[in-house]
Amino acid sequence: MSDTGHAVVAILVTAAVTWSLRALPFAALAPLRASATVRYLSTRMPAGVMVILVVYCLRDLPVTEARAAAPLAALAVTAGLHLWRRDALLSILAGTAVHVALASTVFAR
């Protein structure tokens, strides 16, 4: 087989593997869509993931130092806005803006 033939076969094999790997999750999850467990997890997981991310991001925060005020204020703004308006985009953008403003001006190192 020529070099061109090897290249074509390699490209076809690569394309087939890539397509299979991208289609596999959809094929595997199709029977699970009707599952009560998957429905329960789809409603509970987003909040659980957010709690884990908050704990992970704030775990080493020295709350006794002044530089902890920026992330804590941003967390308070994000949580407060989300509870008030129920708009994830608004609360994330506002919390990020508060953190950036405080960390780069008031509590800059």
Side-chain angles (χ1 to χ4, degrees):
M1 192 180 264
S2 67
D3 287 339
T4 305
H6 285 290
V8 169
V9 169
I11 290 171
L12 291 175
V13 168
T14 303
V17 169
T18 300
W19 183 86
S20 299
L21 289 175
R22 290 184 182 205
L24 184 65
F26 295 103
L29 291 178
L32 296 176
R33 293 196 195 280
S35 167
T37 303
V38 171
R39 278 195 309 270
Y40 173 79
L41 289 176
S42 71
T43 60
R44 301 293 189 248
M45 285 292 289
V49 168
M50 293 307 293
V51 168
I52 290 169
L53 285 172
V54 167
V55 169
Y56 176 78
C57 290
L58 300 178
R59 75 181 191 280
D60 293 330
L61 188 67
V63 292
T64 57
E65 296 181 19
R67 65 185 175 99
L72 293 176
L75 175 63
V77 166
T78 303
L81 263 177
H82 189 70
L83 291 173
W84 176 45
R85 302 293 295 188
R86 298 279 185 215
D87 186 353
L89 182 62
L90 174 67
S91 59
I92 290 169
L93 288 175
T96 302
V98 166
H99 183 270
V100 169
L102 290 176
S104 64
T105 58
V106 178
F107 299 105
R109 294 180 196 182

